[in-house]
Amino acid sequence: MPTFNHGKNAVVLLDNTNLSTTLTDASISLTADVAETSTFTASSKTFIPALSDGVATLSGYFESSSPDADAEFLSQLGSSGSAFSIAPIGYTRGNPTEFGNVIGTSYDRSADIGSVVAVAVAFQFDGDAYNGKSLLAPTAITSSSNQTGVDYGATGTNGGAGVLHCTVKSGSPTLDVKIQTSADNVSYSDYITFTQATGTTSELKTSASNPARYARAVLTFGGSGSITAAVSFAQK
């Protein structure tokens, strides 16, 4: 029997902001172009694959304090692209995530005398949209740790990509995050190293080398206070 999931557990992260408490709907649409190769002798059309594309749309309620979703949406409109992640069934380790760099293409706000001020936002993926898994749910980090490995089923064959979101900071922390991979879930080696985080930030990094079957997040914490981070990884 299939296992279904309720949409209320979805998590949406944009740059350094967790938008989940302000949204009521989040959708991703992925498409792939094809180029026709039919000839005079063909009895049916034939095609070859071309470029992939993706868009994301969000809707929910206007918020300009905690989190300042309004400022985040405005800063992404026509920007050069920031990291975006959606976990449709929640960000629990091993759950599916979709992530990539996005550019805001529209932002609508609507006020109605009979309802809450609403927003609707659209984004264009800038480059690849990665189908990955969560390695670390949004968590307040106060110490160093090696997270539990996640099984990707097989060795990657076309490189990989990882994304880091740091959404809340208190005190004066530093956080160094690596993604490591392993063939046996015992011996791990570095695969992606993110820029050290000292506050709220985000970063998407790729590698052309083929990742091993298992992946984990490695966290090295320094300073004082805490920093809330989330990590996802995808084989290409």
Side-chain angles (χ1 to χ4, degrees):
M1 293 292 291
T3 300
F4 300 111
N5 299 274
H6 201 284
K8 69 182 180 66
N9 296 317
V11 175
V12 178
L13 306 174
L14 175 61
D15 190 18
N16 60 0
T17 304
N18 188 334
L19 300 169
S20 308
T21 58
T22 72
L23 299 175
T24 59
D25 182 85
S27 301
I28 286 179
S29 177
L30 304 178
T31 59
D33 295 337
V34 293
E36 187 174 352
T37 57
S38 308
T39 63
F40 288 130
T41 58
S43 59
S44 298
K45 288 184 177 182
T46 57
F47 298 87
I48 57 173
L51 297 176
S52 298
D53 192 12
V55 295
T57 56
L58 309 175
S59 59
Y61 303 122
F62 179 85
E63 175 57 69
S64 60
S65 56
S66 181
D68 192 347
D70 181 57
E72 189 64 57
F73 293 145
L74 288 170
S75 69
Q76 300 306 323
L77 194 61
S79 73
S80 58
S82 292
F84 171 86
S85 299
I86 178 171
I89 64 172
Y91 228 102
T92 301
R93 184 186 299 112
N95 279 359
T97 61
E98 190 85 25
F99 63 88
N101 285 324
V102 295
I103 299 170
T105 57
S106 68
Y107 178 30
D108 298 311
R109 292 175 277 192
S110 59
D112 187 292
I113 195 170
S115 62
V116 178
V117 177
V119 299
V121 197
F123 298 93
Q124 171 69 53
F125 277 94
D126 182 21
D128 290 332
Y130 299 98
N131 292 294
K133 296 182 181 181
S134 168
L135 301 185
L136 175 70
T139 304
I141 307 300
T142 59
S143 62
S144 302
S145 66
N146 295 335
Q147 297 293 300
T148 301
V150 172
D151 188 357
Y152 284 73
T155 299
T157 59
N158 194 32
V163 65
L164 167 68
H165 297 272
C166 295
T167 59
V168 180
K169 166 203 167 184
S170 67
S172 301
T174 64
L175 181 65
D176 292 281
V177 178
K178 294 180 180 181
I179 293 175
Q180 296 183 331
T181 67
S182 168
D184 57 7
N185 203 24
V186 177
S187 299
Y188 278 85
S189 58
D190 293 350
Y191 184 77
I192 285 175
T193 300
F194 294 101
T195 303
Q196 183 183 77
T198 58
T200 59
T201 187
S202 69
E203 186 177 17
L204 188 152
K205 296 192 74 173
T206 63
S207 173
S209 63
N210 293 331
R213 172 174 175 172
Y214 298 87
R216 71 179 183 183
V218 175
L219 314 175
T220 303
F221 181 83
S224 60
S226 69
I227 189 165
T228 298
V231 181
S232 287
F233 176 69
Q235 295 182 346
K236 291 183 65 178

